Amino acid sequence: MTDGRHGARPPRASRPAVRRLVWIVVTLGALGWAAALAAPEVPTALATVRSLGTATPLLLGAALLAEAGSLLVYSLLTRALLARDAPPLPVVVAIDLTALGLRSVVPGGAAVSATLRLRSFSRSGVPLARTTAIVVVQAVLVALALCSVFGVGLVLSAGRFASDEWVVVAAVVVIAVITGSAVLVWLCLRRLGRFERAVVRATVPLRRWSDRFTETRVTAFVHTLGLGVRILVDDPRSAGTAFALALGNWVLDVTAFGLVCTAVGASPGLSVLLVVYGLGNLLAMLPITPGGVGIVESAMVSALVLTGTPSGAALLAVVGWRVLEYWLPILAAGVSYPILRVVLRRAERRRAAGRVRVPVPAPSGPGSPGGRRA
């Protein structure tokens, strides 16, 4: 027999590598599928590019500004929820932007980016339990706002997408998000004690895997989450402000999509625009590929073509918007991450210096060396 500390191989050592391999294969498969679907439309798209008007650069510039505004509003939502514990806005923007870029490139990006946000806000001085609760509350608000955008589009479209299987999938996601959010709010308001005990029991495997998930931290997280929900429910003004910011994030983003559509000659109409936009973002929430890459593009192009948009214009509109919404934030995150590390390191040093108390010798007399200066 081999020694337990040296000879035996840990049975779970290869699981992360296997998961990464599966994610890579699935992502490449989705990209290949999207490329195969788009390849026949490339000549049409190139012909559409050659026929674009002189207003196209201005519209694309306006779309870029709208996309930047969307990211800024998301960070304003983060600060509004963190309230008095919030770091300066540039730090919040850097954290959110870096997390967004990470979520778009790694398998299981939502969990990884949430972990990055938790660590970054904790390093900037925000209590960990409060940060964790705020991340959950923010995710619920943003998801509900997106469902609202998609729902308005479905109502205005009057059943035009009933035959689109992707829209059916998105509608199921909407129902799941709304139901889950309602259950979470009910548990936090009516059954917080039972909810707390259930979460503590459910996280036992996590505590065996990592010492970060202590029972004290889990309990503090649930308590802070319940407190955050209670504050939003008891303070309609704060809740309205938070939801307005969450909705503003999506409104600016869908504005960018609409501007790109107009720039390339696609005019799908407001109802179709909202449904197709909501469809893409709801599918991006599914943990299939990082940021829904491959799947989002295929579904959105198909939905636009289904409603009468020329295939070449539909392809250009979706790809152009994804460049602004998906690929450019990845590049921006690559720039912001090194800066963020420096800023967080300095913040930790300042807090550490503030906790160090330098002993001051007591004065021994007016004329002694230890007395006050004249």
Side-chain angles (χ1 to χ4, degrees), residues 45 50 52 157 170 195 231 278 294 301:
R50 288 192 290 268
L52 294 179
S157 64
F195 182 39
I231 290 174
V301 171

Side-chain angles (χ1 to χ4, degrees), residues 117-167:
R117 294 185 77 205
L118 293 177
R119 291 179 177 176
S120 299
F121 282 121
S122 178
R123 291 178 64 186
S124 64
V126 184
L128 181 60
R130 178 171 176 79
T131 304
T132 308
I134 290 303
V135 166
V136 175
V137 171
Q138 185 174 18
V140 171
L141 285 172
V142 169
L144 288 175
L146 176 60
C147 292
S148 301
V149 172
F150 183 68
V152 169
L154 284 179
V155 172
L156 294 177
S157 64
R160 295 175 64 182
F161 294 91
S163 61
D164 191 333
E165 63 274 10
W166 286 115
V167 175

